[in-house]
Amino acid sequence: MSITTDTYAMRETLERLNKDATNTIDNSDNCTVKLSDLSTLLAAYKIELNKGNHLRKLLDQDTNAQ
């Protein structure tokens, strides 16, 4: 079963993160974002990395089988 991370909710999360980060930046280049938004982004990133690793393993198996 595949998990889809490109959803309307994820796009809203990315939009909030972008807005919060750019609107709250201070002189030390720090910003404030919601922890839940950052956690959502990191979870989606990990899912996408795992998808890439799974695909790479499948391609390696195909290559080794030939």
Side-chain angles (χ1 to χ4, degrees), residues 34-54:
K34 291 181 180 179
L35 180 60
S36 61
D37 286 344
L38 186 56
S39 296
T40 299
L41 174 65
L42 292 173
Y45 179 72
K46 288 180 183 180
I47 289 167
E48 292 301 324
L49 281 179
N50 285 334
K51 283 181 184 179
N53 288 337
H54 179 69

Side-chain angles (χ1 to χ4, degrees), residues 1-43:
M1 182 171 93
S2 180
I3 298 173
T4 302
T5 58
D6 185 13
T7 63
Y8 180 75
M10 189 65 218
R11 290 175 191 217
E12 285 183 325
T13 299
L14 291 172
E15 187 176 324
R16 277 193 309 275
L17 277 169
N18 184 49
K19 183 178 171 185
D20 289 347
T22 55
N23 289 340
T24 64
I25 196 162
D26 65 17
N27 293 334
S28 299
D29 292 334
N30 294 312
C31 64
T32 304
V33 297
K34 291 181 180 179
L35 180 60
S36 61
D37 286 344
L38 186 56
S39 296
T40 299
L41 174 65
L42 292 173

